[in-house]
Each structure stands twice: as structure tokens, then as C-alpha cells.
Amino acid sequence: MAPEESAGNLLLLRSFERRFLAARPLCSFPWQSLEEKLKESPDPEVLREILQKPTGYLRQSPSSSHLCPSSQTVNHPVCAQHPPSGKYTRCFLLELIRKHEAAHTEPLDELYEALAKTLTAEGSTQCHRSYLLPSGTPLTLSESTAIVSHGTTGLVTWDAALYLAEWAIENPEAFTYRTVLELGSGAGLTGLAICKMCHPKAYIFSDCHSRVLEQLRGNLLLNGLSLEPDATTDPEKPLVMVAQLDWEVATVPELSAFQPDIVIAADVLYCPEVILSLIGVLKRLAACSRNRAPDVYVAYTTRNPETCQLFTTELGWTNTGAKGNLDRPGEACGHNWMSLPLTPGSWSYPGAACLPWALKSMNQANQLGHRPSLS
């Protein structure tokens, strides 16, 4: 196999691996590139490699000269220990079978054997998603299989949390040796990525829903973070706390205990009532800061332009300076701000490329360039 073809195969396999482990929408997978591979060769080996690596097979990492295990999806060791949604796995396998049948007349036993296992598996209200850090280490989250569960949407990971996590990994200096307060932590992806990759001094996860907090604590322990106050003796590991924080009723004395340098939030701008509560708690945080008000980073999906306009209006912004996908940094509510809005439908999945985001990555100096992908 020519070097260029081998590199293309590795990128394709890696793309399938990352997207499957994170349970990304099936439409985001590079199906067109797979179809082209299947048409080029009558050998369905690429499908076997997507399912699991052949025994003893190693691949060269695209970012280094080292050899590492080949890509896997359904039979990945992470999936064996922390199973993804059975329904999602079944839909993924059915799509692989459709692609195979369109290009080959002979069935591939491995595909049907894997599908049979999903048909006999018991259903569950919980599943796992795993996001691969740049080092290849997985962050695994237990999440609800339903978007709305126990009266909240906080039991699943939303796109803005993933985007903010990737942005943070590209900008670790914004969090290094600083105390970070996350508002509306949800399943915990953004905070886990920052704790693992950005070396904060302390990280405070917060949410208001008891079931979300219970799941969140479990996810922190699942990924090796300790919630014991005296457990952090390693200066490279942050002090980690989980706080129940209701923006409506949080008082200045309660907020004064946090004293964050940085406040972050992802996908919390989904209705006017929540926005007004968010603005209120941020004003109180600014008022109780002993030194300077914390910097604030907010990532959100633009679902309703009027809702987002309310956000900028309440901040006191005139949103005429916004360019592309970044509202320019500025001051409001006593804080230094940066918001990173996402627009539904703006995602792009260019063939076998590893990065699933078409959005530009930004920092205070605007263009960042290439950004790490967790999925």
C-alpha cells in the first residue's frame, strides 16, 4: 500500500473511532470516503478494521513516528468496559451493513455477529460516551440515553460543551494555575478536559439539579478525579469540588466562598428565564470578588436569535462588532467576557478529515487555527 493511501486509511479509521466512541450523530461520519474505499477494492478489510483491529496489527500515529493500536469501534476495549447506547450501536452497524451490501455481494459475518449481540442486549436508561484526548487517553462519561430525563436536560453532553472543551485544550494558558468555576456543568465533559489538560489550580463544578450532581460526581470518580479535600498532594492536579448552585437563590456570601479567576458555561442560553438568572449570578460574582472580577467564557448554540439577542442586551452589549463565529471580547456586568456562539447546521465533515468542526477556533487574538478534536 502506498504511503499516501495508508495515511488516508488511518485518518478514515481514526475518524470512525473518535466519532463512534463519542456517539456523534451518524450523519457526521465520513461515509462517502468509506464508500469510495469499498468501491476501489473488493476486499472488505477496511470494515473489519473499523470493527476491531486484526491480531498483531499496528498503525503509525499520524502525529508521530510511533506505532499504536489500530482503530476500533464496536469492539473497542473502552466499549467493552463502558458500553455505549445499544440503540446507537445497532444503528451504526446497520449503516455499515448497508454500505457493505451496496459494494459487495458476499455478506461479512463479523458485521452480522456484532449486530446479533446488540439485538440480544438488555436496554438501559444509561450509556457511556468516550472522548479521546490528544494523548489518546479517553474521557468516559455516563449519560442518560434520553435528551430530557428526570425533568432536566443536564444528563447529556451538548455540542457547546464539546466545543468549549476543545477550545480550552487549545488555550491552556487561560486556565493554568487559576481557579475555575463552571456554571451548569452537566455531565462534566468541559471540566474534565480542563482538569486533565490545562492544569488549573482548582476547579469547581456546579449545577442545581440533584440527579445531575449525582451523575457528575460519578463521572469525576470514573475519570480518576478525587473529591476528597485532602486528596490532592500532587501540585499538578487541581483541587476539585462539586457545588449545588441555584442561580436564582445563590447569595453573595455563598458565591464569595468560590473566588474564581475564571467562570465558564456551555449551552446555558436556551430560554429567557435562564438567561436572566445567569446574568444575575454573574453580577453577584463580580460584586463579591476580592481583587478583580473573573474572566467569563460562554459557549452556546444559536438556536433562537432572539434568545441570544436577549443575552447580549442584558449584558449591555451592542452586538455590532461580532465577526463570524466570535462575539468579540469585551466588558459587561463587571467582567471581561468572551462568548463562542455556535450555529446549528454549520457543522462540516470533510471526508476523512479528523476535525468534525467547520467552525473557526478563536481566542482573544481572534484566529487560533488548527484545533484538537475530542470526537
Side-chain angles (χ1 to χ4, degrees):
M1 184 182 294
E4 295 81 3
E5 184 180 356
S6 177
N9 279 349
L10 293 179
L11 287 174
L12 177 67
L13 294 172
R14 184 173 180 233
S15 179
F16 267 88
E17 177 184 47
R18 287 180 172 272
R19 286 176 169 84
F20 179 81
L21 292 178
R24 300 299 295 160
L26 292 182
C27 62
S28 74
F29 284 69
W31 298 111
Q32 184 177 350
S33 297
L34 176 60
E35 290 172 350
E36 292 171 358
K37 293 285 184 185
L38 293 174
K39 289 177 182 178
E40 291 171 4
S41 171
D43 185 2
E45 187 61 29
V46 66
L47 289 171
R48 293 192 180 94
E49 292 178 0
I50 286 174
L51 288 176
Q52 66 179 24
K53 68 178 183 294
T55 303
Y57 179 76
L58 295 176
R59 65 174 169 85
Q60 187 171 353
S61 168
S63 61
S64 74
S65 60
H66 296 92
L67 294 176
C68 51
S70 176
S71 168
Q72 302 177 86
T73 54
V74 176
N75 296 319
H76 197 289
V78 171
C79 296
Q81 189 173 4
H82 306 294
S85 160
K87 180 180 179 181
Y88 179 84
T89 302
R90 184 162 56 253
C91 292
F92 171 76
L93 288 167
L94 286 171
E95 189 63 26
L96 278 182
I97 289 171
R98 278 192 284 270
K99 301 304 181 187
H100 175 258
E101 290 179 343
H104 299 276
T105 56
E106 292 296 324
L108 185 62
D109 291 343
E110 290 94 327
L111 284 173
Y112 291 95
E113 289 168 0
L115 180 62
K117 291 179 181 179
T118 69
L119 297 175
T120 58
E122 295 183 3
S124 175
T125 59
Q126 287 291 117
C127 65
H128 294 89
R129 296 178 186 232
S130 297
Y131 303 85
L132 297 181
L133 296 172
S135 63
T137 303
L139 290 179
T140 297
L141 304 179
S142 175
E143 300 187 5
S144 171
T145 55
I147 293 177
V148 180
S149 178
H150 297 272
T152 179
T153 58
L155 294 169
V156 297
T157 297
W158 295 86
D159 281 340
L162 178 59
Y163 180 67
L164 184 54
E166 292 176 341
W167 185 90
I169 290 172
E170 185 67 15
N171 294 268
E173 68 281 353
F175 306 95
T176 301
Y177 305 127
R178 307 184 83 180
T179 297
V180 183
L181 170 63
E182 182 178 6
L183 301 175
S185 297
L189 173 63
T190 304
L192 280 165
I194 291 174
C195 287
K196 294 285 187 179
M197 300 296 297
C198 302
H199 306 291
K201 176 184 177 182
Y203 198 97
I204 305 156
F205 295 83
S206 75
D207 216 293
C208 67
H209 197 283
S210 59
R211 180 67 186 89
V212 173
L213 291 167
E214 178 186 349
Q215 179 182 270
L216 175 59
R217 291 187 183 97
N219 283 335
L220 301 187
L221 295 174
L222 181 63
N223 289 277
L225 295 186
S226 175
L227 300 176
E228 297 296 328
D230 299 328
T232 304
T233 57
D234 185 346
E236 292 299 313
K237 292 184 178 180
L239 174 66
V240 175
M241 293 172 277
V242 175
Q244 185 164 23
L245 187 62
D246 186 332
W247 304 344
E248 283 283 350
V249 300
T251 63
V252 169
E254 180 183 0
L255 296 172
S256 295
F258 299 136
Q259 292 298 312
D261 303 302
I262 304 290
V263 176
I264 67 170
D267 225 331
V268 295
L269 308 182
Y270 49 84
C271 72
E273 294 79 12
V274 170
I275 290 174
L276 295 176
S277 296
L278 174 64
I279 297 297
V281 77
L282 289 171
K283 287 180 177 178
R284 295 196 293 279
L285 278 168
C288 67
S289 296
R290 294 182 187 132
N291 298 311
R292 60 186 294 275
D295 296 335
V296 178
Y297 298 84
V298 177
Y300 60 93
T301 299
T302 307
R303 299 182 181 91
N304 184 338
E306 293 181 0
T307 303
C308 295
Q309 184 60 46
L310 173 63
F311 174 55
T312 57
T313 300
E314 290 296 320
L315 287 175
W317 282 353
T318 302
N319 197 29
T320 56
K323 295 284 186 180
N325 294 301
L326 173 70
D327 284 335
R328 286 180 177 172
E331 293 186 3
C333 296
H335 300 273
N336 290 319
W337 277 82
M338 190 198 308
S339 62
L340 300 122
L342 320 181
T343 303
S346 65
W347 319 135
S348 175
Y349 304 94
C354 287
L355 291 175
W357 304 96
L359 297 168
K360 298 181 187 297
S361 30
M362 302 284 186
N363 64 1
Q364 282 96 333
N366 288 340
Q367 186 66 35
L368 262 180
H370 207 57
R371 184 160 54 86
S373 173
L374 298 180
S375 70

